[in-house]
Amino acid sequence: MADWIAAIILGLVEGLTEFIPVSSTGHMLLLGHFLGFESTGKTFEIVIQLGALLAIISVYFKRLWTLATRWPFDPDARRFLIGLLVAFAPAVVIGFFAYDFIKTVLFETPLVICVALIVGGVLLLWLDRMKKVPTFLEADRYPLRVYFLIGLFQCLAMVPGVSRSGATIAGGLLLGTDKRSAAEFSFFLALPTMGSAVAYDLLKSWDRLDFSDAGLIALGFLVAFVTALAVVRFLLDFVSRHGFAPFAWWRIAVGLIGLAGLALTGGLA
C-alpha cells in the first residue's frame, strides 16, 4: 500500500477515534501492525495526535479562553481549572514511572490490545444499560473527589485498547455523572493529558525522530484535525440520543477481527 494512502487511513482513524470510547491508540497500533506502516521513531504517529488536539481547542476556544483569562478572579473558573489539574495529576505520576514498560511491552503486544478492546466493550455495554439516576450534570461543577477519581480511571487507558475517553467516561458514569457531561469532561481532560503525553513522547524519542516524510506527516495531521473536528462537534448530541452502546459493539467487533487477523498471521503464537 502506498504510504500516502496509509497516512490518510491512519489520520482518519486517529481523528475519528481519539475522542470516542473505542481507543484510538488500539486502532492505530493494530492498523499499523496489519498495514506494515511504522515511521522512524513513530514521528508520524506522535505528531498527528496534535491534529486531534487542535480540533478540541478550535471547538472549545471560547470556553478555554474564558477559563484562561478569568480564573484569577472568577471562583467558578478557578474551581474548574483546579478540578482539571486534580484529574490530570494521577496520569502524570503513573505515566512517568511506567512509561518504559507501557511503550516497550504493552504497546508492542497486539494481543493485549484486542483483549482490552473486547473487555472494555462489554463493560461499556453494562454501564450504558445501568439504571442509575445521575447526580452531576455539568462537567465544570463536579466535586473535587469526583475529578480525582475520574483521573484515576483515566490511568487505566495506559493499557492500549482500553481508551482514554472510555476510561474517563466509564469512571464518570460509575461516580454519578450523566452521559453528556462525562463525554464533555473527557474532551477537556484530553488537553493536558494528550498534550503532555505527546510532549513527553517527543522528548523521549527526540534522537530517533525523522521528519524527512514531512508531507506524509502534514497529510495525516490535516486529516486527523478535520475528522476530529467533526467528531467533537457532533458527539455530545449523538451520545445524548444513542448512549455508548454503538461504540461498545464497535470495540467488540474490532477486537474479535483483530484476534482473527492475529490467528491467521501467526500473531497469537
Side-chain angles (χ1 to χ4, degrees):
M1 178 182 294
D3 284 347
W4 68 270
I5 297 178
I8 291 174
I9 293 173
L10 291 170
L12 278 170
V13 170
E14 168 64 26
L16 289 172
T17 61
E18 184 61 61
F19 301 114
I20 62 176
V22 299
S23 179
S24 63
T25 301
H27 281 69
M28 292 285 286
L29 291 174
L30 285 177
L31 263 180
H33 175 80
F34 289 115
L35 293 176
F37 180 92
E38 183 177 350
S39 61
T40 304
K42 293 191 178 295
T43 308
F44 177 91
E45 294 87 341
I46 294 172
V47 173
I48 66 169
Q49 293 179 69
L50 296 175
L53 269 182
L54 184 60
I56 283 283
I57 294 171
S58 299
V59 172
Y60 285 100
F61 180 79
K62 185 176 180 179
R63 287 181 64 178
L64 290 170
W65 180 255
T66 299
L67 188 65
T69 56
R70 294 184 61 84
W71 72 266
F73 50 87
D74 185 335
D76 291 334
R78 186 163 57 249
R79 187 180 179 283
F80 184 44
L81 185 60
I82 292 172
L84 279 173
L85 294 175
V86 166
F88 171 53
V92 175
V93 176
I94 297 176
F96 178 79
F97 287 105
Y99 180 87
D100 289 336
F101 175 75
I102 293 167
K103 290 295 183 179
T104 60
V105 178
L106 297 180
F107 271 53
E108 301 298 329
T109 312
L111 178 60
V112 170
I113 300 169
C114 294
V115 172
L117 283 168
I118 295 169
V119 172
V122 172
L123 290 175
L124 198 58
L125 273 178
W126 173 70
L127 286 170
D128 194 58
R129 297 174 181 178
M130 182 175 61
K131 301 299 182 183
K132 185 175 182 179
V133 178
T135 306
F136 311 113
L137 307 179
E138 297 179 61
D140 56 356
R141 295 183 179 274
Y142 294 165
L144 291 180
R145 172 185 62 86
V146 172
Y147 286 126
F148 177 70
L149 292 175
I150 289 176
L152 288 178
F153 272 98
Q154 179 181 238
C155 293
L156 296 173
M158 292 179 186
V159 178
V162 169
S163 168
R164 188 204 58 78
S165 62
T168 56
I169 288 168
L173 295 179
L174 286 171
L175 293 165
T177 71
D178 71 316
K179 295 174 183 177
R180 185 184 182 93
S181 73
E184 185 174 54
F185 184 66
S186 77
F187 291 163
F188 283 103
L189 190 53
L191 291 172
T193 303
M194 287 179 61
S196 62
V198 169
Y200 194 59
D201 275 341
L202 289 172
L203 179 65
K204 294 282 285 188
S205 307
W206 190 256
D207 59 333
R208 294 180 289 114
L209 293 179
D210 180 7
F211 290 93
S212 60
D213 291 326
L216 289 177
I217 295 171
L219 178 61
F221 179 97
L222 179 61
V223 173
F225 168 71
V226 172
T227 51
L229 192 64
V231 168
V232 173
R233 286 186 180 280
F234 296 109
L235 180 63
L236 296 183
D237 288 338
F238 181 88
V239 166
S240 297
R241 292 195 304 270
H242 304 288
F244 296 110
F247 305 122
W249 286 116
W250 176 264
R251 290 178 62 104
I252 293 169
V254 171
L256 291 174
I257 292 170
L259 287 177
L262 290 174
L264 290 174
T265 58
L268 295 179

